[in-house]
Amino acid sequence: MTSEITLFVNPTAGRGRGARAALPAASALRAAGFSVRTVLGEDAVDALTRARGAVEEGTGALVAVGGDGMANLALQAVVGTGTPLGLIAAGTGNDFARSLGMPLKEPAAAGRMIADALKCGRVRDIDLGRAGDRWFGTVLASGFDSRVNDRGNRMRLPVGRFKYDLAMVAELGALRPIPYRITLDDGDVREVEATLVAVGNGASYGGGMRICPGADLTDGLFDVTVVGDCGRATLLRVFPTVYRGTHVDRPEVSVFRASRVELAAEEVTGYADGEPLGPLPLTASCVRGAVRVVGP
């Protein structure tokens, strides 16, 4: 393995934490004997082109510095190449890094962990979800949660997480059940009225909300969490339990496992790793061992 490591940096992640996190991460990697180059980009397309170029040139690892959006972009560059992916969590949610057991918002510690893992050959292959030509590591969200994202993304003010808190309050006021058609694997079809449907390769989204608490990154299967038709009062009772993952014990919630899931519903956008995929219907496949990651 080459001793050159590529840092793939989102300077705006976490209101500038990405840029600040790159420095101690790079210092930790250099202290361990690696040479470090940094890849930025004028926009997401340019950044991905540069990251893919580094992978094609044979970098020893691509280390994404930022949040789940940056991790998702890095996945598109390394999937299927055998180049290890490392994560320096410096965003708002950091759910992919959380699922890999990486330190959160501790860039020097994460850099040291990645350096040690690369030296010891401590890498592993994990599953990814694929929807169309996009890969994702955590959760494909649809329904109430994706409508909160839609509304929050349209709001110019306020900034930060508070914007999405306000968007959630607004969506609660407009809450109504969504008719879904869910097709699992080779034809097990369910037509349900649901508040949301989440397809989890990983367990959490939204900064630690364990919407699919039983999801395993190495079993070749999604966990599909269906939150049934809930009124506002019920949803507000269910919501806090998602952080513990105990919502799956409630009668309104069902969990299925499948390697291929098709979701169909009217006027619903799918989001994966917090990034918009487009309107339903969408089909997601769990691809076993699709990417190599560095970690504990």
Side-chain angles (χ1 to χ4, degrees), residues 208-229:
M209 298 171 64
R210 295 176 55 78
I211 189 68
C212 299
D216 183 337
L217 293 172
T218 60
D219 65 355
L221 296 171
F222 292 125
D223 275 31
V224 184
T225 299
V226 181
V227 178
D229 182 4

Side-chain angles (χ1 to χ4, degrees), residues 12-148:
T12 64
R15 302 187 197 179
R17 284 195 300 267
R20 294 191 296 272
L23 296 175
S27 295
L29 289 164
R30 290 190 178 104
F34 292 96
S35 61
V36 178
R37 62 180 290 195
T38 300
V39 168
L40 300 170
E42 296 179 0
D43 52 32
V45 173
D46 181 55
L48 180 56
T49 298
R50 292 171 184 265
R52 283 176 168 157
V55 171
E56 289 170 2
E57 291 167 10
T59 187
L62 185 69
V63 178
V65 185
D68 287 320
M70 199 61 177
N72 180 270
L73 200 60
L75 286 177
Q76 317 310 313
V78 299
V79 66
T81 67
T83 299
L85 172 67
L87 298 179
I88 307 292
T92 303
N94 303 314
D95 287 287
F96 195 31
R98 182 180 285 105
S99 70
L100 297 180
M102 296 299 297
L104 303 182
K105 300 180 183 179
E106 298 181 46
R112 289 191 295 270
M113 182 179 288
I114 290 169
D116 181 65
L118 289 171
K119 285 186 170 184
C120 297
R122 197 167 62 246
V123 297
R124 57 190 170 120
D125 294 333
I126 64 167
D127 307 337
L128 292 179
R130 185 172 188 176
D133 61 354
R134 293 291 297 183
W135 298 86
F136 64 94
T138 58
V139 177
L140 191 166
S142 73
F144 175 77
D145 42 10
S146 66
R147 285 177 169 170
V148 170

Side-chain angles (χ1 to χ4, degrees), residues 3 37 53 118 129 159 162 188 227 285:
S3 63
R37 62 180 290 195
L118 289 171
V159 297
F162 188 52
D188 188 4
V227 178
S285 299

Side-chain angles (χ1 to χ4, degrees), residues 180-192 262:
Y180 276 93
R181 181 181 174 88
I182 307 169
T183 306
L184 304 178
D185 288 329
D186 295 325
D188 188 4
V189 179
R190 288 171 169 80
E191 294 188 359
V192 298
E262 181 180 343

